[in-house]
Amino acid sequence: MTKQKTDFYPEVWKEFLLKDNQLILFQFNRKAIWLRRRNEALYLAEVENDNDGGYRIIRDPEPPGDEIPWEQYITRNREFRFQPRTPDQPLILRPLTPVAILPEVQIHYHVAIPLWAGLTPSRVRGNSIFRDVELNKLSHTWFGPPSSGEFCYFWEHPLEAELDEAQIEPAWAICPLTIRNNSKSLLKFERFCIRSLYLSLYAGSQSLWTNEVKVTFKGAEQTSHISFSSRHPSTEKSMRLLSPPRVPPEQQILKRSFDFFKYFTSY
Amino acid sequence: MDVTKLFEQINFEGLLLENMGVRLIRIGIYLILGLVLLRLIQFLLNRTLKSSVSPQALMLIKKFLNYLGFFVILLLVLHELDVQLTAILGAAGVLGLALGVASRNSLGNIISGLFLIGERPFEIGNIIQIGDKTGVVDSIDLLSIKIITFSNHYIRIPNETIINSDVVNITRFRIRRMDITLTVERGTDLNKLEQVLRETAGEIDYCLTEPEPLFLLQEITETGTALLFGVWFQNPYFVTVKNELLKTLEARFAREALTLAVPKMIIRQSAP
């Protein structure tokens, strides 16, 4: 990671104090989050940037213009933190080049997962997140037939076997993914659905990681078996758990993960 | 049914002679307890069945039990008044037959209502279109359904009408496609036009990346090239998507110098 990014992580996920009338800016590249405290109220504004603004935390910056949309939260707390969170819907990814996995073969990926930042008062037990901020611009999409699919986010970052460390953004987490073809036919897919609601987030030395995911394909007519490991990935010896999954996963989940049928959406 | 015969059945003498006060108290208790019990049953049905049956089935079950409950209370009251129930039930049977013949339209609606419940072409909360009427389904009853239009009109539609008509359930599925027809001038760069349309759809928040927008060239006429552009979107956002899409297209067309075709008529006049 560049020096700017190393200054940002892991500072961004730590507690911060917001004094009365103080302004803090959290710059997540294309998303800026302004925070201000005044008279027992916390003011938050979320602003999109068209250009890459880098990753910075600025205390007492130049005040923004009046046009930014402030939201007011009544609270006596002065210490807060951003808790990293996984997307609130599954993610659809496309491989960079068309992939075909032969029977009884598996492939490993490191998938970039876009993060949300949940604002919570510090030192409060349980789930106390009162504002979820989407840090990456994701488009809405649909996975499956028009009559029976599900809403997902489309993630522009392609599905690749390896992630270049220099490309890893602080607003992402890395998910070790294994796809195994346990069927007798070729697994050729154009889109892959990753069930991000079941992912936990761990703090690595350089970036955030999720728990490992294993997807076993059993044939086009059947749903795939998806399993989530219950501990941090083995890339580093120890990693602290920062965020539990939005939805606790069952031991094995049966869900559609691959999309290779052309549904009739045009006549 | 002869009402005088009913009065003849009531043993007024018995009432006068036999502790009328006690009987009236008993009738009062039946009425009060009966109504309270009916309310309790409605409440318990709501709590236990709300999550397991559809709202219209729950409504019908509650109405059926309500009518049954009132009928039982009525029988208890009549029994307390020493009315001969067998005669009444016999008369009711004849009355029922007469009413049935006289109200065959209503019967048709009731039977159509039962078919509708079984078929479930729509549910409470769906937006449906029947003929020229479009609205949100407010209730599905034995005789009719009620819809509320977007201009807040309340329309009652007999069930028989629905069974015999085409019903469009607009919000049956969570996504749908919005089709826009355009005719552009002959000579327009159609590749560029397609790119502009797809980019515009990509800028609208609630337009879905997939299913991909449909770009379909329909025909080439003297006036221009007619095409269909369809974007998929999440159901609750029809107005937002339509307004944003058309506004953005208008601006983008102006920027890219793309022009819609204007209907033309060429008149050729031959020399005399």
Side-chain angles (χ1 to χ4, degrees), chain B residues 184 188-189 192-193 196 252-260:
Chain B
V184 291
T188 300
D189 181 348
K192 179 181 170 188
L193 174 66
V196 165
R252 195 73 196 268
F253 269 39
R255 213 161 61 230
E256 306 285 345
L258 292 164
T259 328
L260 293 176

Side-chain angles (χ1 to χ4, degrees), chain B residues 26-116:
Chain B
R26 275 213 286 261
I27 288 169
I29 290 170
Y30 289 149
L31 285 171
I32 293 167
L33 274 181
L35 290 172
V36 167
L37 196 61
L38 278 178
R39 277 293 183 113
L40 184 64
I41 290 170
Q42 301 275 324
F43 172 73
L44 288 172
L45 277 175
N46 250 343
R47 282 191 76 165
T48 51
L49 295 181
K50 202 170 183 177
S51 50
S52 48
V53 301
S54 66
Q56 57 265 32
L58 179 62
M59 194 186 292
L60 286 169
I61 292 168
K62 279 161 64 176
K63 280 193 176 172
F64 173 73
L65 286 174
N66 232 11
Y67 292 137
L68 185 66
F70 281 130
F71 184 65
V72 167
I73 293 170
L74 178 66
L75 287 181
L76 285 171
V77 168
L78 289 174
H79 175 72
E80 204 54 44
L81 294 171
D82 281 340
V83 174
Q84 295 293 331
L85 293 177
T86 44
I88 288 179
L89 288 173
V94 172
L95 176 66
L97 192 62
L99 280 174
V101 171
S103 61
R104 55 185 180 277
N105 279 345
S106 297
L107 271 178
N109 282 320
I110 291 172
I111 290 166
S112 300
L114 293 172
F115 282 130
L116 279 177

Side-chain angles (χ1 to χ4, degrees), chain B residues 141-211:
Chain B
D141 300 319
L142 274 177
L143 290 172
S144 63
I145 70 158
K146 282 85 175 174
I147 66 171
I148 300 177
T149 68
F150 294 112
S151 49
N152 218 25
H153 291 156
Y154 188 78
I155 304 180
R156 178 187 176 276
I157 306 173
N159 287 337
E160 220 171 352
T161 307
I162 297 166
I163 285 285
N164 294 326
S165 308
D166 293 338
V167 177
V168 179
N169 188 340
I170 296 168
T171 55
R172 174 65 167 245
F173 305 116
R174 295 169 75 192
I175 64 170
R176 53 184 163 128
R177 197 179 75 196
M178 180 186 303
D179 290 340
I180 295 168
T181 49
L182 298 166
T183 307
V184 291
E185 281 192 347
R186 295 280 301 275
T188 300
D189 181 348
L190 295 173
N191 289 327
K192 179 181 170 188
L193 174 66
E194 184 178 356
Q195 186 188 342
V196 165
L197 288 170
R198 289 188 186 280
E199 281 172 6
T200 306
E203 289 169 31
I204 313 294
D205 252 344
Y206 295 107
C207 279
L208 301 172
T209 308
E210 281 171 356

Side-chain angles (χ1 to χ4, degrees), chain A residues 77-114:
Chain A
N77 293 97
R78 293 160 137 240
E79 288 177 348
F80 302 90
R81 64 183 174 91
F82 278 114
Q83 182 174 330
R85 305 185 93 200
T86 52
D88 57 359
Q89 283 177 355
L91 283 176
I92 302 296
L93 297 107
R94 278 192 182 143
L96 205 55
T97 49
V99 172
I101 305 176
L102 272 70
E104 308 301 327
V105 171
Q106 69 183 24
I107 182 168
H108 300 287
Y109 287 105
H110 279 115
V111 182
I113 303 290

